[in-house]
Amino acid sequence: MVKNKAKKFRRGSGTLLHISSLPSSYGIGDFGPGACRFVDFLATAGQTYWQILPLSPTMSVYGNSPYSSDSAFAINPLFVSPDLFVQEGWLTEDDLSPVPAWPDNRVHYEAVEQYKSAVLHKVFARFKETGLEQAAYRSFCCENAAWLDPYAEFEVLKEHFAGQVWSQWPEELRTRQPEALNDVRAEFQDELERIKLWQFLAWKQWSSLKNYCLKKGVSLIGDIPIYVNYDSSDVWSNPHIFQLDANAVPVYVAGVPPDYFSKTGQRWGNPVYNWDALQQDRFRWWVERVRHMLKFFDVIRIDHFRGLVAFWRIPAQEKTAINGEWVPVPTDAFFETLAREFPGISIIAEDLGIITDDVKEKMQALGFPGMKVLIFAFGEDIEIHPYIPENYSDRCVAYTGTHDNNTVQGWYLEDAGRKEKENLKKYFSEIDEKQLHWQMIGAVMRSKADLAIFPLQDFLGLGPEGRMNVPGTSSGNWTWRVSPEYLTPELADLIFQYVQSSHRTPVPLR
């Protein structure tokens, strides 16, 4: 077993905000000027980390969740910046007109998709006319062919078959017969190139933003959802690493068992991995996935980390998660492989919920910090609760809340019961309801936790209107955006005061 190989975080503070929530003129946050201004704000506020959600393409059929995508490798084309296209000579200002009058505080995905798609089609037409950045594009396609080619083919075929699940395609395409794929490449050459170009441009813009973060002393934390969607290029092109039957249909699906919060558990429906096949292949798919993510981020948060120790496997025909079973994962071999490939990799293990001793032992041995969420701490005995700041160890990442929870103010107004409010008053002695978010921020800041991360909504003191996601619901999520006038010098200065007083001040840039 690899022991304590993970690099320890330097004491610091960071902000949680997804790209879609950034200010921009085009209905959704993007990699353009608004993102750079946000990085400036973070640097001024003494924030050394920016945590974002997965960059993966989103789909309306899955409620536009960044955790439900048709690719674990691709970037959401909605995040490209039209302003950067103009700056780089791809388009003119006239090409962007008319720009709809978007609301500042919400993403309307369907309208944004229509607008961005039209802009991106103009960019592709310009590429065909001029050959702009042809060499860089070809190099990108070559370096990323292992995932990019199947992704482009998958997208083209999904459109061709009117959105049908890939397992319903003709057998020669479902099973990726070489001759059939050659026919696809010949027939849909332009469409394939368009999809690849969009990925190249998204990667180019993201790389520029990442470099800007580096210059400003801001490290990036990215999220890896442990599972992938069945109807994805990942499963279509790698069926052998998932537990599928002879017709390429899942035999088992993922979820978690019944607990205090759910009598029937959670049946997520994602296909589960065939870990025997993965191990025989030296975990190649996972290694390439992590390698790809490390091009994007400085630190990786693995969602549902416990599924890399043992996972809850549910027979696909079951309607709930009740009749499942725990299946062990070759954890030691897996992380030994990652340690060899990526020495000193920085990983945060999402360990929220009921975590068994075997998972805790693996995290301890690997040196991966887990998560502590303050708003979860007040329903029980606060003297011994592991999420109370006085009980944190240094090797953890502490949050007021996450993207799946209400804001601090929203939690107090809507979710906290009598016991929670009594414990809250007991902990803080006195509560100023209007300033509760700063009391909670201060408690997390002062804790021993190496990293303290705060949703931007909590820095802003927003109520339930600032919530990003309500798990178990399928609409109205992932739409919140910050209005640019909220990111004031006064707010940055106030955050910096908390950072400084809790000794989380960043090292000055040379």
Side-chain angles (χ1 to χ4, degrees):
M1 179 67 189
V2 178
K3 293 189 177 182
N4 297 316
K5 292 292 185 181
K7 183 169 62 177
K8 194 174 186 296
F9 293 108
R10 182 184 178 277
R11 185 172 176 84
S13 173
T15 301
L16 170 60
L17 184 75
H18 193 36
I19 297 295
S20 63
S21 297
L22 287 167
S24 84
S25 302
Y26 303 100
I28 191 170
D30 60 39
F31 301 146
C36 290
R37 286 192 290 270
F38 181 66
V39 175
D40 292 340
F41 172 86
L42 293 178
T44 304
Q47 301 293 277
T48 45
Y49 289 89
W50 176 11
Q51 180 174 334
I52 65 173
L53 309 183
L55 293 174
S56 311
T58 55
M59 295 168 285
S60 59
V61 68
Y62 295 117
N64 300 299
S65 169
Y67 293 88
S68 294
S69 182
D70 55 7
S71 174
F73 292 78
I75 303 176
N76 193 339
L78 298 183
F79 293 158
V80 296
S81 166
D83 288 331
L84 292 183
F85 287 147
V86 173
Q87 289 179 23
E88 295 168 359
W90 287 94
L91 299 175
T92 66
E93 292 283 357
D94 289 343
D95 290 322
L96 304 184
S97 298
V99 179
W102 310 102
D104 280 342
N105 61 351
R106 291 288 164 188
V107 181
H108 291 268
Y109 280 94
E110 186 177 348
V112 167
E113 208 167 305
Q114 289 176 359
Y115 177 79
K116 284 283 181 85
S117 178
V119 168
L120 284 163
H121 274 86
K122 291 177 183 178
V123 171
F124 180 61
R126 197 63 45 84
F127 174 77
K128 296 292 285 184
E129 292 168 7
T130 65
L132 194 62
E133 300 216 41
Q134 187 74 229
Y137 164 71
R138 296 298 173 196
S139 177
F140 172 83
C141 290
C142 183
E143 291 173 9
N144 294 276
W147 69 266
L148 184 60
D149 288 350
Y151 171 68
E153 292 156 4
F154 182 84
E155 293 294 292
V156 163
L157 289 170
K158 282 288 286 185
E159 186 174 349
H160 179 69
F161 291 114
Q164 269 189 338
V165 177
W166 65 266
S167 57
Q168 298 174 3
W169 297 348
E171 183 180 1
E172 64 273 16
L173 293 174
R174 186 176 70 240
T175 57
R176 293 180 54 81
Q177 295 299 311
E179 188 175 331
L181 289 180
N182 285 336
D183 290 342
V184 169
R185 291 162 192 154
E187 182 178 354
F188 298 103
Q189 183 176 352
D190 263 14
E191 290 87 344
L192 293 168
E193 190 166 49
R194 169 174 51 81
I195 291 165
K196 293 178 183 180
L197 179 72
W198 291 359
Q199 286 300 306
F200 163 68
L201 295 171
W203 167 249
K204 183 172 177 287
Q205 290 191 4
W206 170 258
S207 298
S208 178
L209 178 58
K210 186 173 186 290
N211 288 335
Y212 192 78
C213 290
L214 179 63
K215 291 176 184 176
K216 290 289 184 175
V218 176
S219 296
L220 289 158
I221 302 174
D223 232 355
I224 292 188
I226 184 172
Y227 293 117
V228 299
N229 281 14
Y230 172 66
D231 193 19
S232 67
S233 61
D234 308 292
V235 181
W236 177 59
S237 58
N238 301 279
H240 64 291
I241 66 170
F242 299 93
Q243 297 188 26
L244 311 179
D245 65 17
N247 295 315
V249 174
V251 179
Y252 299 97
V253 296
V256 288
D259 58 19
Y260 175 81
F261 300 101
S262 173
K263 294 180 180 179
T264 59
Q266 297 177 43
R267 184 189 183 280
W268 298 332
N270 309 78
V272 296
Y273 296 105
N274 180 341
W275 282 101
D276 289 339
L278 279 165
Q279 188 167 11
Q280 288 170 14
D281 199 21
R282 299 181 181 180
F283 309 104
R284 178 189 57 81
W285 183 85
W286 262 100
V287 166
E288 291 310 310
R289 186 184 188 190
V290 171
R291 190 188 313 280
H292 190 66
M293 291 298 105
L294 289 174
K295 296 175 185 176
F296 289 82
F297 308 113
D298 304 293
V299 181
I300 292 171
R301 190 195 85 127
I302 299 179
D303 199 40
H304 191 60
F305 179 84
R306 73 106 52 247
L308 294 178
V309 179
F311 62 96
W312 189 249
R313 185 175 75 172
I314 308 161
Q317 70 272 15
E318 293 287 334
K319 302 300 182 186
T320 73
I322 295 174
N323 296 319
E325 61 178 340
W326 287 112
V327 180
V329 171
T331 309
D332 291 357
F334 176 64
F335 281 107
E336 284 168 3
T337 300
L338 292 188
R340 283 194 301 271
E341 293 285 341
F342 316 109
I345 185 174
S346 292
I347 288 177
I348 298 169
E350 186 273 292
D351 60 342
L352 303 177
I354 298 173
I355 300 298
T356 51
D357 288 341
D358 58 335
V359 179
K360 295 175 184 177
E361 289 167 6
K362 294 294 184 187
M363 288 174 57
Q364 176 71 22
L366 291 161
F368 295 161
M371 296 173 58
K372 309 293 183 185
V373 179
L374 183 55
I375 63 170
F376 293 166
F378 298 98
E380 302 167 32
D381 185 350
I382 60 173
E383 300 295 331
I384 61 171
H385 200 288
Y387 291 171
I388 284 292
E390 284 70 17
N391 297 331
Y392 298 168
S393 68
D394 57 348
R395 208 174 188 100
C396 73
V397 184
Y399 297 77
T400 45
T402 75
H403 63 276
D404 279 336
N405 315 130
N406 215 330
T407 64
V408 165
Q409 289 289 349
W411 168 77
Y412 186 79
L413 292 170
E414 293 189 337
D415 304 332
R418 182 177 57 83
K419 185 172 185 179
E420 283 87 355
K421 291 183 177 180
E422 287 175 354
N423 278 336
L424 200 63
K425 187 172 182 180
K426 179 181 178 183
Y427 181 72
F428 285 114
S429 298
E430 293 294 331
I431 297 174
D432 180 346
E433 293 184 10
K434 291 184 178 179
Q435 297 298 313
L436 177 62
H437 53 292
W438 287 114
Q439 289 182 274
M440 299 279 265
I441 288 166
V444 172
M445 282 277 194
R446 292 187 297 271
S447 74
K448 290 181 181 178
D450 284 337
L451 291 190
I453 306 288
F454 306 93
L456 180 65
Q457 294 95 314
D458 283 344
F459 280 139
L460 296 171
L462 297 181
E465 75 280 0
R467 185 165 186 171
M468 190 65 167
N469 180 50
V470 181
T473 63
S474 58
S475 62
N477 297 315
W478 318 109
T479 65
W480 181 80
R481 294 180 66 207
V482 58
S483 298
E485 61 268 20
Y486 286 178
L487 303 175
T488 63
E490 292 77 17
L491 177 61
D493 183 62
L494 181 55
I495 295 170
F496 185 81
Q497 291 176 38
Y498 276 80
V499 170
Q500 192 172 43
S501 65
S502 58
H503 307 291
R504 296 183 181 274
T505 311
V507 175
L509 293 176
R510 293 180 181 177

